[in-house]
Amino acid sequence: MRLRWIALLASAAVLATGGIVTHRIEQHRQRVELARNLTGGNPDRAPELMITYGCAGCHEIPGLAGPRGRIGPPLGTVAERVYIGGVVANTPENLVHWIVDPKALAPRTAMPVTGVSEVQARDIAAYLYTHR
């Protein structure tokens, strides 16, 4: 009888975990869809862009393998921030503008102009709004 209860509890735990995983997958899917709609970008293209343009050299970026820079702030909570770079409201258009030309918004910022195009910045913005 005791083994039966243990087996039942183990089965319930597996089912509960599966439900949690399914829920998290659905939440992520919804975040991706919202980020695509807000930015007009494709977050799937962003990891390669962020490696190419050296973003991870200065920032810690969720889901991105490689260096974990400490010069700039970690980018895992961009979607939750009120301001971008401490100077402009966190909107999709402002984030894209910041990624393309941060000096236009804050001339004394340490963030360099990297050569990222607006289309590429939309992909990066979508990625940052998707990941936490």
Side-chain angles (χ1 to χ4, degrees):
M1 183 68 162
R2 185 173 182 204
L3 288 177
R4 204 177 263 190
W5 275 107
I6 292 172
L8 181 62
L9 289 174
S11 296
V14 167
L15 289 174
T17 302
I20 291 169
V21 169
T22 301
H23 177 70
R24 287 190 178 156
I25 290 169
E26 178 59 20
Q27 281 183 324
H28 181 73
R29 189 196 63 72
Q30 289 174 359
R31 281 196 308 268
V32 168
E33 185 177 326
L34 178 60
R36 285 176 190 261
N37 290 335
L38 288 173
T39 65
N42 181 346
D44 296 333
R45 293 190 295 247
E48 183 178 332
L49 293 169
M50 291 186 289
I51 291 168
T52 299
Y53 287 98
C55 303
C58 293
H59 298 280
E60 182 176 331
I61 303 170
L64 193 66
R68 300 210 181 276
R70 300 282 189 233
I71 295 168
L75 300 180
T77 58
V78 168
E80 300 167 3
R81 295 183 189 166
V82 175
Y83 294 103
I84 297 166
V87 295
V88 295
N90 186 356
T91 67
E93 288 306 312
N94 284 344
L95 181 56
V96 168
H97 192 183
W98 179 262
I99 293 167
V100 171
D101 190 3
K103 303 274 187 206
L105 298 172
R108 297 182 60 180
T109 184
M111 184 161 160
V113 176
T114 61
V116 172
S117 72
E118 182 179 331
V119 171
Q120 293 168 326
R122 290 187 179 285
D123 294 340
I124 293 169
Y127 183 91
L128 295 176
Y129 282 148
T130 299
H131 288 79
R132 294 182 194 180

